[in-house]
Every structure is written in structure tokens, then in C-alpha cells.
Amino acid sequence: MRRAASPEPTRRAVIGAAAASVLARPALGGTPPRVVVIGAGFGGATAARGLAAGGVDVTLVEASERYIACTGSNAVVVGLRGIDAQTFGYDALGRAGLRFVRATATGIDATARRVSLGDGTALPYDRLILSPGIDLRFDAIPGYDAKAAEAMPHAWKAGEQTLRLARQLDAMPEGGTVVLSAPANPYRCPPGPYERASLIAHFLKTRKPRAKLVLLDAKDTFSKQKLFEAAWARLYPDVIEYVPLAAGGAVTEVDPAGMVVRTDFAEYKADVACIIPPQRAGRIAAQAGCADRSGWCPIDPVTFESRLVPGIHVIGDAAIAGAMPKSAFSANSQGKVCAQAVIDLLAGREPESPKLINTCWSLVAPGHGISIAGVFHPADGLLADVPGAGGISPLDAPEDVQAREAAYGESWYQTITRDVFG
Amino acid sequence: MRTPLPGLALLAALTTGAGGAEMRPPPGASSCTGCHAEGSAMGVLAGRPEAEIVGALDAFRGGTRPATIMNRIAKGFDAQESQAIAAWFAAQAPR
Ligand SMILES: Cc1cc2nc3c(=O)[nH]c(=O)nc-3n(C[C@H](O)[C@H](O)[C@H](O)COP(=O)(O)OP(=O)(O)OC[C@H]3O[C@@H](n4cnc5c(N)ncnc54)[C@H](O)[C@@H]3O)c2cc1C
């Protein structure tokens, strides 16, 4: 194993370095530096575990009573799995050597380095990590607000929304029409809308004869496009109608009472409408001053420290991570790297330039998996693709390879959720 | 609620324990365990001989070993990085 080149720092040196790294807080004294993490999802829970394993005093703040994972929730939408398989408690996190606080973070004072909680208490921090995920933008599509999402679910935050869409699909008439709309980039889970389209098409083909799916897209290209389109042509030629931006795919208005979805070119009457609206970083990020005009958070690619607010790190969906997609896999990779960087910064050590991996598997039909992978490193101030690495599954992958990819995807889901929440 | 760790315990952890400089995973290694974790169908890397991991990465990179995904991942690491990652996993207790 590699030994540190410099001699072990003395107690004073380490405390001194930590103090310097938190802008010379006067009263640091003998108390160890405190790290607060907001959001116990794939990013935040991973980072908090990493910090706790490094012996850091860490408090993890989470608003929800339980975590309902989005990953795999497209299968819940079409009745292929239950919501229970997506649901995790936080008990194990409370036993992971960290302080788990069930509360909503309502405000951040970045100058005083303090997080206010919904119950009126406050948590001081030396470094803060935000992994709040996304907020749906209910101001982006005329007619599509939180109320409209009851008639036209987004199901882009798993839970009641997922079950609502599942019930609506189950109840729809044979020969009916499903309208599914995908937003422009960037958004949570780039291949997610197309996996959902595939699984809904499979559901319609097997359960609702003659029914159709219209997929309206606010862009012209998308993740794993060749693989999805090949699968659609092979498996669902008479079910899916794909309308890209250039053909008028951008939704300009919805009428939830009439179940109508409008574009500049056409009007679609839907039996079931799933509208995935544009998104932004979870609101606490903007409240902290970490979000830019895009609604997302620019970060340093080595430490994930905010480019806008020193002392606050942003990981997961909320961050602008360059070429890295907004995925649970990315959030988990980033959580580990960010935890190590924070440990290094607190100890007055320079963090190493990291490498991170992302992989997203999707199902084009039950048991038929495809994937996209990438390896990323900091380049020109952003996380960039390592040239020559990554890419998508081969177009001509035989059935047994597709079956293995589906099984690996499921195995990943089982192990990652056990690692993070188990 | 737990009481915070005393400063000395933290110091020990930061300098010599998990997460300290000597224990820093080499770049990329912490992402491998997203898939190669205990109980995964993709197998565990901790405790595997260094030469075996290096050899596998080399073969994935060169396309001589069949893969669904490791060929695409191994190409993101050069020989030196692969060596460092392999040594780090080899030094861990098998799980
Ligand atoms: C249909 C669908 C399918 C997907 N499939 C995959 C897949 O196959 N593979 C994959 O890798 N990714 C997938 N994803 C993406 C994945 O779910 C997200 O990228 C991932 O959850 C991001 O993690 P995060 O930590 O950034 O946010 P989250 O997991 O959303 O966690 C954020 C947490 O922060 C909490 N929080 C927010 N604000 C506050 C506050 N102010 N105070 C306290 N707590 C707060 C929230 O309650 C939440 O628990 C999918 C997404 C969807 C919608």
C-alpha cells in the first residue's frame, strides 16, 4: 500500500489546516469539524456513509419518512413489480455511525455556516453537502401544475405518482391512446422516458390490443437512441409513434380536464397522459445560492464544491456534472468521491483528481436489457468523457446478451440499494 | 442523538484510518464497487489477487475477453491506473 510521502501531521497542524479550510473560524478549538449532508437519496446517503467511515462527525438530514427509489419504477408503472421493491427505510443509516435527522432543511446561511430545519432548530457546519435531487417545474408548460399532475401524472418522483400512472394504465380502454412527453435536456435519468415508452408499449401490446403510444419529445436526439429505435421497430412497430422536436414534439399546453395535450403542430386526445416536465435542482440548492440561472448547480469537478458558494458541495441530480448524466449510479459515484474530497479538505490535504463511472441499464422489454456506460474525469473545469471509453451496447447483441444485461441491471439495483439503505 | 467524536479520534481517523491519505482509493476505484459489491452477480473485487484484476482489465481493454460492459469501462483506465486500482482491491480483506 502507498504511504503518505510527508510525515504524519501533528494534531496542531491538522486542526490548523482544517481551520484554514473553513475560513479561520474563531471558535473551532478542539471540536472536530462538522459536516452536514442534506438529502438521504442515492447521492447524500452515500456521501454521509463515506464520511462516517472516515471518522467524520456527520449529520444527515432527510425530509421523507422513507425512500422510494425511481430506479426500476418504470416496471412498477406497468405492473411488472410492486412499489414495495422500491421502498426503503432509513433505520440502517441511523446505525451507520452518523446522526440521522428526519427534518426538512428550510434555509441555509452560508456566511454563518448554519442550516435551519423545519422544526425551528439549526445545525452548524464546517462543510455542507447538498444532494436534494430535483424539483419538477410546474411553471414550464402552460396548464401543467401540481394539480394537473393528478390527471396527467409525471411519475418522475417515485411513490404515489408512480401508482397513479399504473392505475390509469390498468384502467384504460382497449384501443386507447397513451401520450407520453419527454422534456428537453438536462433532466433526471436521460434514458428514463424511452425505457418507460418501451415498457408501456409492451404493456399495451400484451394487455390492451390496438392501443397506441404517442411519444412527444422536446428534443431530436436522446440517450441510447439507436438501441431504443431498433427495439421499437422490432417489438412495437404498430404501437409507438415517436414525434421528435423537429416534427412538433414539444408540448406547448395541456388541458387536464379535457385530457388534451397540445403542440405547435397538433392536438392529442389522451386516455392516459404522462407528462414529464422540465426540472431544476431541489429548491434548497437555489435557496443556498448554489443554483445558477439554469436552475442547476455549477461545481468544481474535483471536489464538487459549489462554484457559487464556498463550503457547500453539490452532488447528484442537482449538480451540473458536465458529461455525467443525472442518474442514481452517478449520484452514488459522486457521493463517494465528494466524501473523500471533504475528508481531504478537512485534513488540509489536496484532493486527488478523480475518475468516475456511470452506467445506466434500461429494459426495452421484460428480460431485454441495454446499457450506456461512461468514464469521466475533470477536464477544462468540467467532468468530461474519458476519450475512447464508454458507449452503448452493440446494436446486434444476441438475445442471451440482452438477457444478461437485464440481469446485471437488476443485480446492480439490488446491491446498490442494499449498500446505500441496507 | 450520538455525541460527536472527540477531536483525537477524528484526528486518528483522518490521518491513519479509513479515509486517511494512505487509505485513499486510487482514482476510479470507488466507482468499481457500484457494481462489484458483496452479493452482486458481477462479483467482488476486494481480496482478489492484483495480477488477476490487472490481467482481466487488460483483456477487457484489448477485447480478448468477452464482456457485456467491462470492455467499455476498462478503456477508461490506462495500465498504470489499472495497476493502482488492482493493488488497492488486492490489499483489502476478501468479503
Ligand atoms: C423513472 C425513472 C427511472 C430511473 N432509472 C434509473 C436507473 O435505472 N439507473 C440510475 O442510475 N438512475 C435512474 N434514475 C435516476 C435516479 O433516480 C436519480 O438520478 C437519483 O435518485 C438521484 O439521486 P440524488 O441523491 O441526486 O436525489 P434523490 O435520490 O432524489 O434524493 C434526494 C433526497 O433529498 C431529500 N430532500 C430534498 N430536499 C430536502 C430538504 N430541503 N430537506 C431534507 N431533505 C431533502 C428528498 O426527500 C430525497 O430523499 C431514474 C429516474 C426515474 C425518474
Side-chain angles (χ1 to χ4, degrees):
Chain A
M1 211 181 295
R2 203 155 39 101
R3 300 260 341 158
S6 51
E8 291 201 351
T10 62
R11 178 185 163 82
R12 256 194 70 218
V14 167
I15 299 294
S21 73
V22 295
L23 303 177
R25 291 169 57 89
L28 201 66
T31 46
R34 289 152 301 193
V35 178
V36 174
V37 180
I38 298 178
F42 283 105
T46 302
R49 277 184 183 275
L51 288 161
V56 174
D57 176 7
V58 52
T59 303
L60 176 58
V61 181
E62 169 57 50
S64 304
E65 262 172 61
R66 64 189 73 85
Y67 189 74
I68 306 184
C70 287
T71 43
S73 69
N74 282 331
V76 178
V77 164
V78 294
L80 288 171
R81 69 201 272 155
I83 197 87
D84 288 356
Q86 307 294 122
T87 308
F88 302 90
Y90 300 117
D91 293 356
L93 277 168
R95 295 189 298 268
L98 52 85
R99 212 176 290 103
F100 186 88
V101 175
R102 252 254 305 138
T104 303
T106 50
I108 290 167
D109 182 337
T111 312
R113 300 212 176 207
R114 193 186 301 276
V115 177
S116 335
L117 303 181
D119 60 10
T121 61
L123 294 170
Y125 66 84
D126 295 297
R127 285 194 176 267
L128 174 65
I129 299 178
L130 300 180
S131 191
I134 56 159
D135 273 1
L136 298 157
R137 288 189 46 199
F138 285 122
D139 58 352
I141 300 173
Y144 197 71
D145 55 17
K147 185 88 184 87
E150 291 174 14
M152 301 178 155
H154 50 77
W156 220 240
K157 287 191 170 196
E160 176 46 33
Q161 275 280 314
T162 315
L163 295 173
R164 189 178 279 275
L165 180 57
R167 282 193 302 270
Q168 293 181 359
L169 282 168
D170 203 49
M172 77 176 265
E174 288 185 10
T177 301
V178 179
V179 175
L180 168 60
S181 88
N185 293 322
Y187 61 96
R188 157 177 285 182
C189 195
Y194 311 96
E195 176 183 62
R196 179 169 291 177
S198 305
L199 292 181
I200 290 178
H202 179 266
F203 171 84
L204 297 180
K205 190 171 140 179
T206 48
R207 297 273 312 281
K208 305 283 175 184
R210 300 178 319 284
K212 296 253 181 299
L213 169 69
V214 180
L215 173 52
L216 301 174
D217 204 341
K219 54 195 174 301
D220 285 318
T221 57
F222 58 87
S223 178
K224 292 182 261 196
Q225 182 163 5
K226 281 198 184 121
L227 295 171
F228 278 115
E229 289 186 334
W232 295 345
R234 192 175 73 245
L235 300 168
Y236 317 116
D238 304 319
V239 182
I240 298 183
E241 180 194 345
Y242 177 65
V243 186
L245 174 67
V251 174
T252 51
E253 188 181 17
V254 298
D255 167 11
M259 287 298 283
V260 171
V261 180
R262 292 195 185 88
T263 68
D264 275 337
F265 290 51
E267 191 173 285
Y268 299 86
K269 177 90 180 75
D271 293 291
V272 175
C274 169
I275 305 293
I276 305 167
Q279 298 144 33
R280 60 164 83 92
R283 77 176 56 83
I284 194 70
Q287 206 283 335
C290 294
D292 69 13
R293 286 178 58 191
S294 72
W296 306 99
C297 305
I299 46 119
D300 175 273
V302 175
T303 60
F304 289 86
E305 187 162 0
S306 166
R307 293 242 186 245
L308 303 178
V309 188
I312 304 184
H313 301 247
V314 187
I315 58 175
D317 287 355
I320 300 176
M324 272 192 107
K326 299 186 188 304
S327 71
F329 203 114
S330 292
N332 178 256
S333 298
Q334 293 168 6
K336 291 171 184 169
V337 165
C338 181
Q340 183 63 49
V342 166
I343 287 171
D344 289 340
L345 290 168
L346 292 174
R349 244 186 339 249
E350 194 179 334
E352 267 186 298
S353 185
K355 273 199 169 177
L356 300 97
I357 300 173
N358 173 66
T359 299
C360 290
W361 287 275
S362 303
L363 295 175
V364 294
H368 292 243
I370 58 174
S371 62
I372 183 166
V375 183
F376 307 90
H377 64 171
D380 301 325
L382 282 172
L383 281 164
D385 277 295
V386 172
I392 61 174
S393 311
L395 252 182
D396 54 0
E399 290 266 325
D400 67 302
V401 169
Q402 291 187 28
R404 244 185 301 152
E405 290 227 82
Y408 284 141
E410 181 59 27
S411 176
W412 166 76
Y413 175 75
Q414 297 299 339
T415 46
I416 203 77
T417 50
R418 183 149 24 83
D419 267 15
V420 174
F421 302 107
Chain B
M1 269 200 193
R2 271 154 233 250
T3 45
L5 284 169
L8 268 174
L10 174 81
L11 175 75
L14 289 182
T15 54
T16 60
E22 301 144 55
M23 293 293 286
R24 276 207 283 198
S30 65
S31 279
C32 308
T33 49
C35 292
H36 294 288
E38 206 181 331
S40 162
M42 295 168 268
V44 177
L45 297 175
R48 305 260 318 232
E50 183 176 328
E52 210 175 289
I53 300 176
V54 169
L57 289 176
D58 219 40
F60 286 133
R61 207 165 21 243
T64 55
R65 182 169 167 169
T68 59
I69 202 144
M70 274 310 295
N71 47 351
R72 290 177 261 159
I73 289 173
K75 286 187 186 124
F77 300 89
D78 64 21
Q80 205 184 337
E81 291 167 325
S82 303
Q83 183 81 44
I85 291 172
W88 191 74
F89 282 115
Q92 291 176 10
R95 267 179 284 151

